[in-house]
Amino acid sequence: MSQMIAHYTVAHYAAFKTAFDNDAEDRGNNGLSLLQLWRESDTSAWALYNVGDAKAAKAYLEGAAGVFNSQAGVASTEFHYVETA
């Protein structure tokens, strides 16, 4: 199982967090399991996920996550797939 580190640039963390929490089931249904969420500032957050299904996760991030992004005020995202060395 691989992991993914995600960086979110957001308009307001509070709105992002509410939408993020509401999106948990959808992420889970698409191969992503949250391990940790960090708040860097009011406009920046990081998340660490286990990736159980890389194909489903990639499809979600390239498509359905757009709805989440608009609801959460996400201006940009970066995703980095990593494995334990």
Side-chain angles (χ1 to χ4, degrees):
M1 186 176 299
S2 63
Q3 295 179 325
M4 181 181 65
I5 299 170
H7 179 253
Y8 299 93
T9 302
V10 301
H12 299 286
Y13 181 81
F16 165 80
K17 180 69 165 84
T18 298
F20 187 86
D21 291 346
N22 291 337
D23 195 54
E25 183 177 356
D26 201 23
R27 285 191 311 270
N29 289 337
N30 287 284
L32 295 171
S33 173
L34 181 67
L35 295 173
Q36 186 69 49
L37 179 67
W38 298 278
R39 176 182 175 169
E40 184 174 24
S41 69
D42 194 45
T43 59
S44 180
W46 295 83
L48 174 63
Y49 299 99
N50 264 334
V51 181
D53 182 338
K55 185 177 180 180
K58 184 175 190 235
Y60 167 76
L61 294 171
E62 291 176 351
V67 173
F68 160 74
N69 289 344
S70 67
Q71 293 171 343
V74 174
S76 67
T77 56
E78 293 179 35
F79 301 105
H80 306 273
Y81 291 88
V82 296
E83 293 182 11
T84 303

